[in-house]
């Protein structure tokens, strides 16, 4: 379970499997410690008839020791994971990097990290699925994916992340589709605010994306791909596209992309207030998150069958 509210579900992998099954899910994506009892966890997954996708951090810097990374991939393969999710960056490009030079320094290191880690996925023989994670715009992401022809490296296609970088969401999914290994299926809602727009992950029926049609496009490319649900239960994300700082790492995009995005926000602005949870205590936040998951699972069983 991946969420923005305080974590109240079980942290132990075996307990997490039981909890996810109790919600009615068909599988899960989870980071597992390297000292996990692999046989016991795999037995729990098989007993509950759940598919499994791993989650791993790549090395932090090019040149770092890759032994722990390789050990993690081998563990996930032993667990029967269909793929392992990873990211190049944790954060938001437009908040973290203050100058184009800062971003280019990060990019040089990130490229070196991939050059070290992708061959290890090849050697182990398990697909590494890199999420579009608010770091590279979609064309930059495709450029990286094209660089590697490995069957063990591809994309985890997140349906909503690139909206915050003024990429068109449908275009993003279609451009990443040829490389899809995994998904974060979510629906999105938007609303204007004085510095740009607000962005929320919402119940499938409340967003403006055509989830069944978009997932079908991915399934056509990779029939084995799973619809992995992700709904981060939190207050709306502020995307300050009307500020100069937002465009510091991509000044060439500030015209056309801004205009297109503002038109999208105007066309799809939510007719009801976007959900917020910061005024709730931790128990209430957890109940909202769990309710959201249950509703999305029920919707998905019907719409994505």
């Amino acid at each position: 379970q991946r969420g923005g509210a305080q974590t109240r579900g079980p942290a132990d992998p075996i307990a997490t499997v039981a909890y996810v099954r109790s919600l009615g899910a068909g599988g899960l994506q989870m980071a597992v410690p390297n000292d996990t009892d692999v046989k016991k966890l795999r037995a729990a997954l098989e007993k509950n008839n759940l598919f499994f996708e791993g989650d791993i951090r790549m090395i932090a810097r090019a040149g770092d020791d890759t032994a722990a990374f390789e050990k993690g991939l081998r563990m996930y393969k032993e667990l029967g994971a269909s793929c392992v999710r990873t990211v190049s960056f944790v954060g938001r490009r437009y908040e973290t990097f203050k100058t184009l030079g800062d971003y280019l320094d990060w990019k040089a290191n990130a490229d070196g990290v991939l050059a070290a880690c992708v061959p290890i996925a090849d050697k182990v023989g398990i697909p590494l699925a890199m999420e579009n994670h608010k770091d590279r715009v979609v064309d930059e992401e495709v450029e990286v994916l094209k660089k590697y022809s490995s069957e063990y490296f591809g994309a985890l296609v997140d349906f909503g992340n690139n909206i915050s970088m003024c990429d068109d969401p449908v275009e993003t999914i279609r451009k990443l589709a040829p490389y899809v290994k995994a998904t974060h299926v979510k629906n999105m809602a938007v609303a204007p605010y004085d510095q740009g727009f607000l962005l929320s992950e919402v119940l499938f029926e409340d967003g403006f994306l055509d989830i069944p049609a978009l997932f079908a496009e991915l399934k056509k490319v990779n029939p084995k791909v799973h619809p992995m649900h992700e709904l981060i239960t939190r207050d709306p994300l502020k995307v300050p596209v009307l500020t100069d700082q937002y465009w510091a790492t991509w000044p060439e995009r500030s015209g056309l992309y801004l205009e297109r995005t503002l038109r999208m926000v105007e066309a799809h602005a939510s007719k009801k207030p976007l959900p917020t949870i910061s005024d709730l205590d931790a128990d209430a936040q957890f109940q909202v998150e769990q309710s959201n998951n249950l509703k999305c699972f029920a919707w998905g069983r019907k719409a994505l069958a």
Side-chain angles (χ1 to χ4, degrees):
Q1 183 181 5
R2 303 170 58 82
Q6 179 176 328
T7 300
R8 300 299 299 275
D12 174 76
I14 304 293
T16 300
V17 166
Y19 175 69
V20 168
R21 194 71 187 97
S22 75
L23 296 179
L28 74 161
Q29 182 185 102
M30 175 173 60
V32 176
N34 276 352
D35 60 355
T36 296
D37 186 329
V38 171
K39 290 183 179 179
K40 186 176 180 181
L41 178 55
R42 179 154 186 169
L45 290 164
E46 291 174 351
K47 177 183 176 182
N48 286 281
N49 195 30
L50 294 176
F51 71 84
F52 177 62
E53 297 176 358
D55 191 327
I56 198 168
R57 289 280 183 95
M58 292 187 284
I59 57 175
R61 301 199 63 81
D64 285 355
D65 185 11
T66 58
F69 176 75
E70 181 171 341
K71 182 180 179 182
L73 289 185
R74 292 190 183 281
M75 176 193 65
Y76 285 124
K77 187 173 184 180
E78 191 176 349
L79 281 167
S82 57
C83 65
V84 182
R85 176 247 185 192
T86 196
V87 297
S88 280
F89 176 67
V90 178
R92 302 180 187 113
R93 173 172 171 169
Y94 53 89
E95 293 177 349
T96 301
F97 304 113
K98 302 306 180 186
T99 69
L100 179 57
D102 291 342
Y103 175 75
L104 292 176
D105 288 344
W106 169 83
K107 181 180 181 298
N109 181 67
D111 290 347
V113 166
L114 284 170
C117 290
V118 173
I120 296 173
D122 286 341
K123 180 171 70 171
V124 174
I126 189 167
L128 193 62
M130 182 176 69
E131 182 178 350
N132 49 308
H133 204 243
K134 298 176 183 172
D135 44 15
R136 303 175 184 91
V137 298
V138 66
D139 289 337
E140 293 169 337
E141 193 86 355
V142 169
E143 183 180 350
V144 171
L145 292 163
K146 278 183 177 179
K147 182 178 178 180
Y148 298 94
S149 59
S150 171
E151 65 177 300
Y152 297 112
F153 179 65
L156 185 156
V157 181
D158 185 288
F159 281 36
N161 280 346
N162 280 53
I163 296 173
S164 71
M165 299 195 296
C166 291
D167 278 331
D168 177 87
V170 175
E171 182 180 276
T172 295
I173 291 168
R174 288 176 176 164
K175 286 184 174 182
L176 294 177
Y179 312 95
V180 64
K181 300 290 186 184
T183 65
H184 279 172
V185 177
K186 60 181 68 168
N187 215 336
M188 311 301 295
V190 292
Y193 90 110
D194 59 352
Q195 292 188 318
F197 66 95
L198 304 175
L199 182 65
S200 284
E201 299 175 20
V202 294
L203 296 175
F204 284 130
E205 61 265 32
D206 289 343
F208 69 88
L209 299 178
D210 186 345
I211 299 299
L214 293 170
F215 182 71
E217 293 195 32
L218 298 176
K219 191 85 170 174
K220 190 184 303 181
V221 176
N222 182 355
K224 295 181 179 180
V225 74
H226 297 296
M228 181 62 69
H229 158 65
E230 182 188 41
L231 192 166
I232 300 180
T233 301
R234 62 183 175 196
D235 288 1
L237 176 65
K238 293 180 178 179
V239 186
V241 296
L242 297 178
T243 66
D244 291 338
Q245 179 57 52
Y246 175 88
W247 300 100
T249 69
W250 44 43
E252 74 286 354
R253 289 167 58 93
S254 61
L256 172 64
Y257 290 87
L258 173 60
E259 293 169 9
R260 183 181 69 180
T261 299
L262 292 178
R263 287 197 302 270
M264 180 199 71
V265 171
E266 182 179 6
H268 297 293
S270 179
K271 293 180 172 56
K272 58 184 180 181
L274 300 181
T276 60
I277 64 164
S278 57
D279 56 342
L280 303 176
D281 63 28
D283 287 329
Q285 288 184 21
F286 174 70
Q287 292 304 319
V288 171
E289 181 174 58
Q290 182 167 263
S291 174
N292 286 345
N293 287 329
L294 288 168
K295 290 174 182 176
C296 285
F297 293 161
W299 185 94
R301 280 193 292 271
K302 293 179 181 178
L304 301 177

